[in-house]
Amino acid sequence: MTHSVTSQQAAGLKQPARLRSVLFAPAVRPDHLEKLSSRGADAVVIDCEDATPPNAKAEARLNCLRFGPELAATGCQVFVRVNAPSSEWFDADLTQALSPELTGVIVPKLETLADLDRVSRALDDAGFPDLGVFVGIETVLGVADARALLEHQRVIAAYFGAEDFIADLGGRRTVGNIEVLYARSQVVIAGRLAGVPVIDQVVTDFRNTEAFNAEAVEACALGFRGKLCIHPGQVTPANTAFTPTSEEVARAQRLIDAYDEASAAGVSAIDFEGQMVDGPLVAQAQQLINRAST
């Protein structure tokens, strides 16, 4: 059984604000965690999964309990990424690493509705009925079943993880990203139908600003709402890529005004600054304005 976004909201879950930049830091690096609130990211993540070695999971949970509330007190949207449901650390993460001040919990490598139901019950049992799940879609099965997963009532956001997806698929990563274009599109379409924001993959070459900028612009064009960031230097480019410029907003408003005037005169398609404009382009212009105001 799947659930609509209406049921998600009715469930009383915390809902994230904009997520143009989602900055990760290892849960075992207090020196990084204490600086997260100053990095300018829309959301920050204390990462107990990939960035935390197996012998440091207990330490990571203690740091989550310390830094989660501290970061939230500064006005940050704070998430904790726990380990995957299939891991030996998952149950302890949900009972020992979360705090009520969090915006939500990131659960990686989710593949089945049964997993999501298990996460939902565990959060309720741990005393966090208002914490939603920020889902990691990063396996072949997860991508294939993304629509059903993102329609689950506990889901408040999602991300696509290219590196794990390709490892699961048995493919090879390339600079052009052609090998993940279908999967990225599948996940972002699922998010649109479920009414939840979807955030795009990481750029592992974190010193390559040009590559990050290009990929962020591409992600915005594909319909993503933000970018996962693994280095503070990626935050500003992400925020810029997913924020319409004042010139873009002004043009969009001119387009809407011109179309409204023509519509009132009984005309349904117009020549606007050398471009043929009808209903779909007006809808795109309104969406751009909406993104600028959130």
Side-chain angles (χ1 to χ4, degrees):
M1 178 179 179
T2 59
H3 308 265
S4 69
V5 69
T6 301
S7 68
Q8 294 165 10
Q9 295 169 340
L13 300 175
K14 295 180 182 179
Q15 298 295 321
R18 62 184 180 180
L19 297 169
R20 301 168 302 172
S21 51
V22 181
L23 178 61
F24 284 68
V28 288
R29 292 294 302 271
D31 55 328
H32 289 187
L33 297 174
E34 63 190 9
K35 298 175 184 177
L36 277 179
S37 64
S38 66
R39 301 303 193 182
D42 285 345
V44 298
V45 181
I46 306 173
D47 189 9
C48 292
E49 194 214 9
D50 288 343
T52 297
N55 64 355
K57 300 296 187 182
E59 176 189 352
R61 296 183 196 110
L62 291 175
N63 285 336
C64 289
L65 293 178
R66 171 189 168 189
F67 285 99
E70 288 183 8
L71 289 166
T74 69
C76 284
Q77 294 188 98
V78 185
F79 295 87
V80 165
R81 181 161 74 168
V82 299
N83 289 276
S86 59
S87 74
E88 63 186 278
W89 306 288
F90 174 75
D91 291 330
D93 286 347
L94 261 63
T95 57
Q96 300 173 28
L98 307 183
S99 54
E101 293 86 357
L102 299 176
T103 301
V105 56
I106 297 183
V107 182
K109 302 178 182 67
L110 273 170
E111 295 185 312
T112 69
L113 290 174
D115 280 343
L116 268 170
D117 286 339
R118 175 188 170 196
V119 172
S120 186
R121 289 192 301 269
L123 286 170
D124 289 344
D125 292 344
F128 303 109
D130 63 341
L131 289 188
V133 178
F134 191 149
V135 172
I137 303 295
E138 41 199 334
T139 66
V140 173
L141 180 57
V143 169
D145 292 348
R147 181 175 178 183
L149 292 173
L150 300 196
E151 288 179 340
H152 191 280
Q153 63 180 353
R154 200 76 190 222
V155 175
I156 56 173
Y159 71 84
F160 171 68
E163 309 308 324
D164 282 299
F165 172 77
I166 287 298
D168 187 30
L169 181 67
R172 180 178 296 177
R173 291 291 276 128
T174 69
V175 174
N177 280 320
I178 187 65
E179 70 283 359
V180 292
L181 177 58
Y182 174 78
R184 289 166 86 193
S185 298
Q186 278 281 92
V187 178
V188 81
I189 288 170
R192 161 65 181 83
L193 293 173
V196 298
V198 180
I199 312 306
D200 193 36
Q201 62 201 25
V202 302
V203 174
T204 57
D205 185 4
F206 60 83
R207 291 186 177 88
N208 192 337
T209 303
E210 182 178 350
F212 186 91
N213 289 343
E215 197 169 294
V217 170
E218 178 183 74
C220 186
L222 285 170
F224 288 93
R225 291 294 172 257
K227 200 92 171 107
L228 301 182
C229 301
I230 56 172
H231 187 275
Q234 295 177 330
V235 169
T236 296
N239 289 344
T240 299
F242 291 93
T243 304
T245 66
S246 57
E247 291 80 7
E248 289 172 330
V249 172
R251 184 182 186 279
Q253 190 60 60
R254 292 198 308 273
L255 185 154
I256 291 171
D257 291 343
Y259 186 81
D260 287 347
E261 182 178 349
S263 294
V267 178
S268 59
I270 64 171
D271 177 350
F272 173 75
E273 299 180 3
Q275 180 183 25
M276 191 281 289
V277 169
D278 57 7
L281 291 178
V282 175
Q284 292 175 32
Q286 187 60 60
Q287 289 165 1
L288 185 146
I289 291 172
N290 294 343
R291 287 200 302 273
S293 64
T294 57

